[in-house]
Amino acid sequence: MYKVALVCATFLVVSLGAPVNPGPNIPEVKEGTDPMGENFMSLEYKKYLEEVVQLLESDEAFKNELEKMEADKDNTGQIAHYLQFANKNTRTKLDELKRMEVRRLRDLHKKLTQEAANLPNVDTAHIDHENPHTFEIEDLKKLIKKTTDDLSDVDKKRKEEFKKYEMNKEHEYREQLKHAADQEAADQLKKEHEEKLKRHKDHPKMHHPANKEQLEEVWEEEDHLSPDEFDPKAFFMIHDIDGDGYLSTPEIEALFQLELDKVYNSTNPDDDMVERDEEMNRMREHVFGEIDTDRDGFVSLAEFIESTKSEDFDNDDAWGGLSSEEDYDSSEFDEYEKALAEQERLLQQKHNPNEETEGAGAVHDNIQNEVPAIPVEAVETENADQPADVGNQ
């Protein structure tokens, strides 16, 4: 797999080309879902991005030139300039894709304007709309930058949503205590809650992700090989499921399943599977942060081998995980509680407009965050209806 897929469309690895043939320890990815999250799947330009990447992946001349970058650090501008090596047929199809995307943006802007919709901006950062006819180097630069920026936002959004999830769990627990029938019932709830937390923390040691002990455990338990014969290169080849020379996000996450099983069991009511997913995501972030030195979203064989030579590789420090981190502080929780109370007050006021409401009561199941109105920016349409001559140099 060459660099355009690595830099421009990390999240498309599963959806482009032949599907990955999962091994027994590969986390299942449901059809129609994206391993990078639903927020990124909903991006308006995803279809355009997919089609551009597919075209470039099918162009042998572009592919061959790009593979020569293998030893270099990735650079958005440098990658984009390799567009000049794409053949005429590819460039013609890219031009048509761009014209279709310009029309989509123009039609979307027109629709929002007609409806006077109080909606977010029409996002055009992924395209050079000053030239609405041909797909040029500037378009590929913008597409790579926009995708890279959005990918970096995925984990930030996920962490924020997880923080709200954890605060809501704490809120519901406090509400149960508050509405207990009497002090004895409240004490019993508190006791059960503390025992549940204690049971969850009572688990075997979790190895640090991608250290020697953790990988050897996978080598022995999943691959059924002798730990005394652990070979980093052979390990990499075994777990490079699609054989493309890189460990992708699903392939890396598959390595954590034994560790996660030590702490989270879907049949155990004490264990929260949402927290399991977050634990896995944080392991992934840690491993990519430590091993993926060129920050392309994949672990190459060279990067993997180099990581096994570091001093940290032999350290067997326990992985603290979620239990060792505070996802929110008291002030954040207080603000969350105030926001819930205010939204509940407004909800009650809406249903009982002639009655004054006091307090907060039970929180409505479908609380929505209020999003400030953002004026719709005009999408460049100048010369958009002119004949589309393809004049690639």
Side-chain angles (χ1 to χ4, degrees):
M1 182 180 295
Y2 48 93
K3 291 295 184 180
V4 67
L6 306 187
V7 180
C8 183
T10 299
F11 76 102
L12 293 176
V13 174
V14 173
S15 62
L16 294 182
V20 173
N21 181 24
N25 62 338
I26 294 287
E28 180 181 0
V29 179
K30 294 180 180 179
E31 183 178 357
T33 64
D34 191 298
M36 293 305 289
E38 294 179 0
N39 289 335
F40 204 69
M41 280 289 289
S42 67
L43 289 176
E44 288 288 340
Y45 68 93
K46 179 179 180 292
K47 184 175 185 293
Y48 171 68
L49 173 61
E50 282 182 324
E51 292 173 337
V52 168
V53 172
Q54 285 173 336
L55 271 176
L56 292 176
E57 284 187 327
S58 67
D59 190 294
E60 288 300 321
F62 179 80
K63 174 182 177 179
N64 291 337
E65 290 297 327
L66 205 57
E67 282 179 340
K68 296 176 183 179
M69 286 181 59
E70 195 63 36
D72 300 330
K73 292 290 183 182
D74 289 337
N75 178 277
T76 297
Q78 187 178 356
I79 293 169
H81 279 286
Y82 278 78
L83 181 64
Q84 64 184 305
F85 295 104
N87 66 47
K88 185 176 180 179
N89 184 50
T90 298
R91 295 294 298 272
T92 300
K93 291 179 179 178
L94 287 170
D95 293 342
E96 179 57 28
L97 284 178
K98 179 177 178 179
R99 289 193 290 269
M100 291 171 62
E101 181 68 359
V102 169
R103 287 196 293 270
R104 183 188 72 80
L105 294 169
R106 185 175 68 245
D107 292 345
L108 178 60
H109 172 64
K110 182 178 179 181
K111 179 181 179 181
L112 295 179
T113 302
Q114 289 175 341
E115 294 178 355
N118 196 16
L119 297 173
N121 300 338
V122 175
D123 194 344
T124 65
H126 62 288
I127 197 168
D128 179 18
H129 51 80
E130 291 184 0
N131 165 23
H133 302 305
T134 58
F135 188 99
E136 305 295 344
I137 289 173
E138 188 63 24
D139 289 289
L140 190 52
K141 283 183 181 179
K142 286 179 175 289
L143 188 57
I144 293 173
K145 184 178 186 307
K146 176 63 175 169
T147 305
T148 303
D149 290 345
D150 285 337
L151 283 171
S152 68
D153 287 340
V154 169
D155 282 325
K156 293 178 184 177
K157 292 177 181 177
R158 188 205 78 238
K159 289 177 181 177
E160 190 61 31
E161 289 303 312
F162 181 73
K163 180 193 294 186
K164 291 178 182 177
Y165 174 80
E166 290 293 291
M167 288 193 292
N168 195 60
K169 281 179 63 176
E170 179 63 20
H171 169 80
E172 291 179 348
Y173 167 61
R174 295 190 185 190
E175 285 293 302
Q176 288 181 323
L177 291 179
K178 186 188 302 182
H179 295 93
D182 50 38
Q183 187 59 47
E184 183 179 353
D187 290 342
Q188 181 62 28
L189 282 171
K190 187 175 181 179
K191 179 181 178 182
E192 291 174 357
H193 180 72
E194 291 173 348
E195 289 177 348
K196 178 179 178 179
L197 294 177
K198 183 178 179 180
R199 287 194 301 270
H200 178 67
K201 291 180 179 180
D202 184 18
H203 58 73
K205 173 185 176 181
M206 293 181 74
H207 296 300
H208 216 69
N211 76 354
K212 186 177 181 180
E213 291 290 333
Q214 193 262 314
L215 297 183
E216 284 184 345
E217 189 171 59
V218 174
W219 175 267
E220 182 178 9
E221 298 296 328
E222 290 287 347
D223 305 331
H224 307 293
L225 297 169
S226 170
D228 297 330
E229 299 175 358
F230 178 75
D231 180 348
K233 184 176 180 179
F235 183 93
F236 182 96
M237 303 300 280
I238 291 170
H239 294 277
D240 176 19
I241 304 299
D242 59 5
D244 65 356
Y246 297 88
L247 295 182
S248 62
T249 293
E251 290 167 342
I252 287 290
E253 290 177 346
L255 305 180
F256 310 147
Q257 301 311 305
L258 282 175
E259 299 306 310
L260 293 167
D261 287 344
K262 295 174 182 178
V263 184
Y264 301 96
N265 184 337
S266 61
T267 63
N268 187 344
D270 293 341
D271 299 336
D272 187 334
M273 293 301 103
V274 173
E275 291 181 352
R276 179 187 172 113
D277 287 342
E278 180 63 20
E279 191 86 70
M280 182 177 70
N281 279 312
R282 296 192 187 186
M283 288 179 167
R284 168 183 55 79
E285 289 178 312
H286 171 78
V287 168
F288 277 102
E290 293 289 319
I291 302 179
D292 179 24
T293 55
D294 64 2
R295 300 294 182 258
D296 65 359
F298 288 77
V299 174
S300 67
L301 174 59
E303 289 171 330
F304 183 78
I305 296 298
E306 189 63 27
S307 73
T308 64
K309 298 176 182 178
S310 69
E311 292 182 5
D312 290 339
F313 183 68
D314 291 319
N315 292 336
D316 191 25
D317 296 334
W319 173 257
L322 296 180
S323 60
S324 65
E325 300 178 22
E326 293 292 335
D327 289 292
Y328 58 88
D329 56 33
S330 58
S331 62
E332 288 177 306
F333 183 75
D334 289 342
E335 287 300 315
Y336 181 75
E337 291 259 270
K338 289 177 183 177
L340 291 180
E342 176 61 14
Q343 290 176 5
E344 179 65 18
R345 184 189 68 79
L346 293 174
L347 185 64
Q348 291 182 11
Q349 190 175 58
K350 178 180 178 180
H351 290 295
N352 302 285
N354 297 322
E355 297 180 16
E356 292 187 8
T357 59
E358 297 180 1
V363 180
H364 190 269
D365 290 337
N366 297 314
I367 291 176
Q368 301 289 334
N369 290 326
E370 295 183 5
V371 180
I374 305 175
V376 178
E377 292 181 351
V379 176
E380 177 66 47
T381 61
E382 184 178 356
N383 298 324
D385 297 320
Q386 292 182 6
D389 294 329
V390 179
N392 299 315
Q393 299 180 356

